[in-house]
Amino acid sequence: MTAAASAPATPITQDLLTLPRKPAAEGLVNLVGLTRDALRAALIDAGTPEKQARMRANQLWQWIYQKGVRDFADMTNLAKPYRAELSEAFEIRVPEVARREVSADGTRKYLVRIDGGHEVETVYIPEADRGTLCISSQVGCTLTCSFCHTGTQRLVRNLTPGEIIGQVMLARDDLGEWPAPGRNPKDETRLLSNIVLMGMGEPLYNFEAVRDAMKIAMDPEGIQLSRRRITLSTSGVVPEIARTAEEIGCMLAVSFHATTDEVRDKLVPINKRWPIADLLDALRAYPKLSNSERITFEYVMLKDVNDSDADARRLIDLIRGIPAKINLIPFNEWPGAPYQRSDQVRIKRFADIIYKAGYAAPIRTPRGEDIMAACGQLKSDSERARNPRRAAAK
Ligand code: SAH
Ligand code: SF4
């Protein structure tokens, strides 16, 4: 996530209050995360006449995603007896914020508790021209990238669509961003204007749930974010890349991180399955398939591992012909990490070589480091305490 000199330095606060949320009620179907079709089907199942179901689903959709309403009793364009019927069959529930931390730079990290007592992290990064929410798609990760903190936590489970879009909704709750009556959220300069799927997990290993949640985020009658404001980051799950273009159509970022298969095999082990050449083929096809402008190449700067001038030149050769931006991410340390961040001079020199070849090469300023909210530092706190670093695959 790019930085800006925007956020005022506020003291670090640690808010241990649990915001009040409804616990899962037995037997009630949660409407959050259902696609429009699934919502309609659920209403019919619960007794809404088929002829009315489409209209009712639309009304509910607007209450839930446009206005942020959680209680059927507040849905004033529905008849009172119908509201009562709905509340007997359904609930509108987003995950609970177990803890909220605010960094000195304004970054907010939410420890989010989902059903089963599991936890994921969601990070909000305010900048001068945007507010980005970094959301998680899995509890832990099946992949074991050797520089990534999340990669030291085994996969516990995939998040549901409701838990994925729920992270957007709980951040909007915390930011107080549900529109006042009569105001169109499109008219406002939004606090939450962008989503990046760069939290915990590999989004393309939870494809359907991520797709359904992002469809809700993009829905013109819901959260209303443009597909250009949503970026999905993958470590390189090649077979799902074309599908991402076709079924989601959002912007794509790829965790590239190395310019030879030998090094990438160690940093991003999924490379052994889909090596650099295969990945590049899939990336080359993406902009046309998704009608998006360019791919973001993420490149974590690891001292003496992938940061030489030769690496920078190889990178340029590899991506030639792909509309691209290269995000250079100074390595964020975490306890027991087997790497060091490249020196600032080295990173600048690397950026310069890429820039001179005609590519944007911004260096990300880490955000929220003081609360372990920066890229690659996320990991459920409970896990952090009980699961020391496994041997590094350097
Ligand atoms: N699983 C997906 C998305 C989550 S990771 C993926 O790998 O793309 C989000 C980004 O943070 C990725 O580019 C990842 O490579 C990077 N990252 C992971 N650990 C990091 C660290 N310690 N320092 C800096 N960036 C890191
Ligand atoms: Fe998983 Fe991405 Fe971390 Fe790799 S970098 S372990 S894919 S979250």
Side-chain angles (χ1 to χ4, degrees):
M1 287 132 270
T2 6
S6 56
T10 48
I12 302 167
T13 57
Q14 196 158 16
D15 181 351
L16 293 167
L17 279 182
T18 296
L19 305 178
R21 301 236 179 249
K22 279 198 293 179
E26 224 161 287
L28 297 185
V29 174
N30 188 7
L31 296 183
V32 176
L34 297 187
T35 61
R36 275 177 181 271
D37 285 347
L39 174 56
R40 195 173 142 259
L43 293 180
I44 294 170
D45 266 3
T48 300
E50 215 166 323
K51 272 195 193 150
Q52 291 178 15
R54 184 173 302 277
M55 187 179 77
R56 297 289 171 236
N58 285 346
Q59 287 170 318
L60 278 161
W61 189 273
Q62 287 174 13
W63 283 114
I64 298 171
Y65 299 115
Q66 205 166 60
K67 303 193 175 77
V69 164
R70 303 283 150 77
D71 194 338
F72 295 105
D74 296 334
M75 300 185 175
T76 45
N77 60 356
L78 302 177
K80 275 198 181 151
Y82 187 58
R83 289 183 232 169
E85 251 174 63
L86 289 172
S87 61
E88 275 161 30
F90 302 115
E91 60 178 347
I92 302 164
R93 189 164 52 87
V94 300
E96 178 191 358
V97 176
R99 194 173 69 228
R100 187 185 74 142
E101 288 172 80
V102 183
S103 159
D105 70 11
T107 301
R108 299 179 185 204
K109 182 170 86 170
Y110 306 102
L111 182 67
V112 174
R113 191 164 299 144
I114 56 171
D115 288 350
H118 306 301
E119 289 164 350
V120 291
E121 292 180 333
T122 307
V123 180
Y124 173 73
I125 307 120
E127 293 179 70
D129 62 340
R130 68 181 66 185
T132 303
L133 193 70
C134 178
I135 62 182
S136 294
S137 54
Q138 299 183 309
V139 186
C141 190
T142 46
L143 303 173
T144 51
C145 303
S146 51
F147 55 89
C148 173
H149 203 200
T150 308
T152 66
Q153 182 183 349
R154 70 184 199 290
L155 177 75
V156 179
R157 74 164 167 86
N158 280 336
L159 297 193
T160 64
E163 289 161 349
I164 297 171
I165 197 65
Q167 294 170 66
V168 178
M169 295 165 77
L170 65 85
R172 273 192 148 188
D173 289 349
D174 187 50
L175 296 166
E177 193 166 55
W178 297 102
R183 283 187 77 184
N184 180 345
K186 268 197 166 160
D187 298 336
E188 294 165 289
T189 309
R190 295 199 181 186
L191 293 173
L192 199 172
S193 63
N194 292 61
I195 294 176
V196 293
L197 281 145
M198 294 185 185
M200 295 163 65
E202 168 49 61
L204 295 190
Y205 275 161
N206 187 13
F207 187 89
E208 284 84 6
V210 166
R211 176 197 59 203
D212 291 352
M214 291 308 102
K215 290 256 185 238
I216 294 173
M218 294 186 276
D219 192 287
E221 282 182 329
I223 313 253
Q224 288 187 21
L225 288 177
S226 146
R227 64 190 187 84
R228 291 181 194 282
R229 289 183 173 273
I230 298 176
T231 304
L232 183 151
S233 174
T234 180
S235 57
V237 184
V238 166
E240 303 290 357
I241 289 180
R243 221 177 142 203
T244 305
E246 283 152 10
E247 297 182 32
I248 309 177
C250 59
M251 305 297 283
L252 187 72
V254 63
S255 293
F256 207 67
H257 305 321
T259 60
T260 63
D261 282 323
E262 195 195 345
V263 176
R264 197 163 190 270
D265 281 352
K266 288 184 190 140
L267 298 181
V268 190
I270 199 179
N271 193 69
K272 291 182 199 154
R273 184 129 181 234
W274 293 294
I276 290 176
D278 296 0
L279 177 58
L280 288 171
D281 284 346
L283 297 177
R284 228 169 251 121
Y286 191 88
K288 204 166 156 215
L289 281 177
S290 65
N291 189 24
S292 60
E293 284 136 32
R294 56 185 182 176
I295 308 263
T296 301
F297 284 75
E298 295 164 283
Y299 199 97
V300 62
M301 299 298 295
L302 304 171
K303 189 175 184 154
D304 300 330
V305 175
N306 63 356
D307 61 352
S308 68
D309 287 0
D311 278 307
R313 289 195 205 97
R314 264 196 303 269
L315 181 59
I316 297 160
D317 286 343
L318 287 171
I319 67 174
R320 190 158 286 134
I322 304 177
K325 164 182 154 194
I326 293 90
N327 261 350
L328 299 175
I329 318 173
F331 174 60
N332 293 312
E333 302 206 352
W334 37 271
Y339 300 106
Q340 285 175 309
R341 180 180 293 184
S342 307
D343 300 332
Q344 197 58 17
V345 185
R346 181 92 296 274
I347 300 178
K348 287 226 168 81
R349 164 97 187 135
F350 196 97
D352 208 43
I353 295 174
I354 293 168
Y355 180 74
K356 286 200 174 117
Y359 296 97
I363 302 169
R364 268 193 209 166
T365 306
R367 296 290 302 265
E369 270 188 305
D370 51 351
I371 54 169
M372 288 285 287
C375 288
Q377 291 184 317
L378 304 187
K379 184 170 180 179
S380 315
D381 279 9
S382 49
E383 269 289 318
R384 207 174 273 147
R386 87 173 95 88
N387 181 11
R389 167 90 199 139
R390 75 165 87 101
K394 192 173 171 184

